[in-house]
Amino acid sequence: MRERTVSIVAALWPIWLRKSFLTPSISRAFSDQILKSPALSSLDITDSWSSTRKKSDHSSTQESQNNWTAKILDGNAIAKGIRSRIASEVSRMNELTARVPGLAVILVGQRRDSETYVRNKISASEEVGINFKMTALPENCTEYEVCNALSRFNEDPSIHGIIVQLPLPQHLDEAKILNVISLEKDVDGFHPLNIGNLAMQGMEPLFIPCTPKGCIELLLQSGVEIMGKKAVVIGRSNIVGLPISLLLQRHHATVSVVHAFTKDPEKIARESDILVAAAGVPNLVRGSWLKPGAVVIDVGTNPVEDPRSEHGYRLVGDVCFEEATRLASAVTPVPGGVGPMTVAMLLCNTLESAKRAFKFTSNE
Amino acid sequence: MRERTVSIVAALWPIWLRKSFLTPSISRAFSDQILKSPALSSLDITDSWSSTRKKSDHSSTQESQNNWTAKILDGNAIAKGIRSRIASEVSRMNELTARVPGLAVILVGQRRDSETYVRNKISASEEVGINFKMTALPENCTEYEVCNALSRFNEDPSIHGIIVQLPLPQHLDEAKILNVISLEKDVDGFHPLNIGNLAMQGMEPLFIPCTPKGCIELLLQSGVEIMGKKAVVIGRSNIVGLPISLLLQRHHATVSVVHAFTKDPEKIARESDILVAAAGVPNLVRGSWLKPGAVVIDVGTNPVEDPRSEHGYRLVGDVCFEEATRLASAVTPVPGGVGPMTVAMLLCNTLESAKRAFKFTSNE
């Protein structure tokens, strides 16, 4: 027996704590929905081209004279509100069906950052009343052992979402392992069928990947309009850059994807109203990359050594935060921006999955 | 019995005809492969970002002083060479296995343009020795009838590729119908799983959609470098704009997708080294949209009335061809550019599918 399985039946939040998150204005605005993000297929509009198109006004040239003081997009606060609404929904589900959603995580090895992320997911699940199960496997485990653990969660009716904490050790085939996860429980949304349905107009993926979904929700809840805006996504990874570019396009942004082979990424970035940095390179995006007044979403979470920090390292983003605050109209901090939104979306996807499994609707 | 089924066992091209297409230089370059397009996963390179990036030189500014006379990218000629190599492979398959690939088409209604496209596919299949079966259904047929015809082709072991000629009449659910096609026979590559695998690095779709695949092959065979180039795709349809943007990105272009909600498409287009027009709007792309020296791929095939033409209409592209020839370094004509490449890629996908079914390799 090489693995240890930890099963945590999370406690529901006390009522007073849940209530305290819902200020009157928020509860009015979102009383009947957890997220602002609409169903993707509801966004589909036939592209109707006009041959006499207006050129965009060049107000940005005037804006470049100004110095902005960016609004900090507080992912912690927005995620807290979402978790509160999830907790409320889980509690109602429990009252009406005597069941709660279940989330399972496979953790391989002992990477410090992975352990931190999993700890955050456990504690967030506990808070909202989602059951949490974890299978921890040693660094040198085999592909068979990982797939075996996944299969057990696939068959477990108390589990509605399964995630494999990435990255996996090099000797394991990530694509092959992720492919074992049942489509109905792929709450990370990394299956190619989910990505295809995310890309195609008229289609609806079972799950939208958590980080991209969190970025869009952050924009929507902050009142940032996406339709018709120029957006640049820096980085094209399968789990962040690619799906966020597809999702922004479904929201009718004009999207450019910049990667390591792009000749002048700075110029493309500087022309964009919305910049999403997901390259995994600390401080790649300097002030000179930003259009004055742009909205900046920093997905980077890069550990850099810091002897003064409690754990010997601290997290920095892909964006030079200090410079961004002087040029952007809004920017996410690292940590405290996209990170908590990602966790909230994981809970949200797990709840959605359980609702599908229980045929439980919001109107019950 | 509301349908008529036409079965055509295509004749092989005579040997002398096939040989005449292979000039010595071409036969040396392509003796062991039909296409220049490599397997997508062979293109995957880890994105390695440098913090001291060179800015691109602005030679294009000088180029803008010049007047280009564009090279016409002759899709007919390139497609002819590809069809010749397919014919040769089909003939060898027939000699060694006594079997040939089979392609099935479902045609609903009597749209003149659809009938023309299907006629082209029949004649191209005949030429290369691919068996062709067609089921023609009346305009007012039911979804059940279309799905029934599809299911029969799914189960027919002599059929390796199935296509539904689009567009379908409005009362039929296109996505639902396309979903019935067996993944192994989806030679149009429109299934969301294929699109997902096309989008994701490290993955390989069973089939790449024919028009995007034809565009890339046209670029590669014309010696146009894609890696590191700025590309704009005008239009984002599921069957052309979206997959071509994904495919260009897999080839390491920096891709922007322009659609009807884009505020200044002309400006984005004018900054691009490669422009792919797939909006379905006659003459949308004027000379002012083009960067001098750009390569222009015109996917548009818009029928416009022309009493002088034999059929009462002629096809024009999305690009103002006259203006493009004076500004671009290379441009595809309409007709005779992307169209024949699309048909050649359909044959190519059908051959690949048959090779998979027969476990037939090129080295046999």
Side-chain angles (χ1 to χ4, degrees), chain B residues 165-213:
Chain B
Q165 186 63 45
L166 300 179
L168 288 171
Q170 291 247 319
H171 70 283
L172 299 173
D173 183 339
E174 202 169 285
K176 192 173 154 193
I177 286 171
L178 292 180
N179 211 31
V180 174
I181 300 177
S182 153
L183 258 181
E184 288 72 29
K185 301 188 179 186
D186 175 32
V187 283
D188 260 340
F190 295 157
H191 193 283
L193 185 62
N194 263 325
I195 298 293
N197 281 322
L198 176 65
M200 294 172 81
Q201 287 183 84
M203 309 301 267
E204 195 81 43
L206 276 177
F207 302 102
I208 298 173
C210 301
T211 301
K213 186 173 177 171

Side-chain angles (χ1 to χ4, degrees), chain A residues 53 201 238 253-254 256 259 262, chain B residues 53 201 238 253-254 256 259 262:
Chain A
R53 301 179 61 84
Q201 288 184 83
N238 286 345
T254 300
S256 301
H259 46 77
T262 300
Chain B
R53 303 180 59 87
Q201 287 183 84
N238 286 345
T254 300
S256 301
H259 46 76
T262 300

Side-chain angles (χ1 to χ4, degrees), chain A residues 55-247:
Chain A
K55 290 188 182 181
S56 69
D57 57 17
H58 293 285
S59 53
S60 60
T61 323
Q62 286 148 29
E63 282 168 8
S64 68
Q65 314 292 325
N66 303 341
N67 263 343
W68 291 79
T69 303
K71 176 181 167 188
I72 309 300
L73 299 179
D74 187 347
N76 276 328
I78 294 175
K80 201 170 174 180
I82 293 169
R83 289 200 309 271
S84 161
R85 294 190 287 280
I86 292 173
S88 163
E89 188 89 347
V90 169
S91 163
R92 209 165 53 85
M93 179 184 270
N94 197 13
E95 281 163 24
L96 293 171
T97 70
R99 289 182 291 188
V100 293
L103 174 63
V105 174
I106 309 252
L107 174 65
V108 180
Q110 294 185 302
R111 279 178 65 115
R112 255 190 339 192
D113 54 347
S114 290
E115 286 181 339
T116 307
Y117 294 139
V118 168
R119 241 191 336 265
N120 291 345
K121 289 167 189 171
I122 295 177
S123 109
S125 298
E126 277 184 334
E127 278 180 0
V128 299
I130 288 179
N131 270 359
F132 193 91
K133 291 186 180 178
M134 183 173 85
T135 295
L137 292 162
E139 174 82 19
N140 62 351
C141 71
T142 64
E143 229 161 73
Y144 175 78
E145 288 172 300
V146 183
C147 292
N148 205 24
L150 279 176
S151 298
R152 278 203 299 276
F153 286 138
N154 278 343
E155 286 154 25
D156 183 341
S158 78
I159 290 301
H160 309 96
I162 304 171
I163 54 172
V164 176
Q165 186 64 44
L166 300 180
L168 288 170
Q170 290 247 320
H171 70 284
L172 299 173
D173 184 339
E174 201 168 287
K176 191 173 155 194
I177 287 171
L178 292 179
N179 211 31
V180 174
I181 300 176
S182 153
L183 258 180
E184 289 71 29
K185 300 187 178 186
D186 175 33
V187 283
D188 259 340
F190 294 159
H191 193 284
L193 185 62
N194 263 326
I195 298 292
N197 281 323
L198 177 65
M200 295 171 81
Q201 288 184 83
M203 309 301 269
E204 194 81 43
L206 275 177
F207 302 102
I208 298 174
C210 301
T211 301
K213 186 173 177 171
C215 292
I216 293 290
E217 189 63 24
L218 197 56
L219 290 172
L220 294 178
Q221 293 216 19
S222 305
V224 176
E225 207 191 346
I226 304 174
M227 182 188 274
K229 291 290 163 64
K230 272 182 89 168
V232 66
V233 178
I234 300 170
R236 53 170 175 172
S237 69
N238 286 345
I239 60 178
V240 182
L242 171 70
I244 200 163
S245 68
L246 299 172
L247 194 51

Side-chain angles (χ1 to χ4, degrees), chain B residues 115-240:
Chain B
E115 286 180 338
T116 307
Y117 294 139
V118 169
R119 239 189 339 264
N120 291 344
K121 288 168 189 172
I122 295 177
S123 108
S125 299
E126 279 184 331
E127 278 180 1
V128 299
I130 288 178
N131 271 359
F132 193 90
K133 290 186 180 178
M134 184 173 86
T135 296
L137 293 163
E139 174 82 18
N140 62 351
C141 71
T142 64
E143 230 160 72
Y144 175 77
E145 287 172 302
V146 183
C147 293
N148 205 25
L150 280 176
S151 299
R152 278 203 299 275
F153 286 137
N154 278 343
E155 286 155 25
D156 183 342
S158 76
I159 291 300
H160 309 96
I162 304 171
I163 55 174
V164 176
Q165 186 63 45
L166 300 179
L168 288 171
Q170 291 247 319
H171 70 283
L172 299 173
D173 183 339
E174 202 169 285
K176 192 173 154 193
I177 286 171
L178 292 180
N179 211 31
V180 174
I181 300 177
S182 153
L183 258 181
E184 288 72 29
K185 301 188 179 186
D186 175 32
V187 283
D188 260 340
F190 295 157
H191 193 283
L193 185 62
N194 263 325
I195 298 293
N197 281 322
L198 176 65
M200 294 172 81
Q201 287 183 84
M203 309 301 267
E204 195 81 43
L206 276 177
F207 302 102
I208 298 173
C210 301
T211 301
K213 186 173 177 171
C215 293
I216 293 290
E217 188 63 25
L218 197 56
L219 291 172
L220 294 178
Q221 292 216 20
S222 307
V224 176
E225 207 191 346
I226 304 174
M227 181 188 275
K229 293 289 162 63
K230 274 182 88 168
V232 66
V233 177
I234 301 170
R236 53 171 175 171
S237 70
N238 286 345
I239 60 177
V240 183

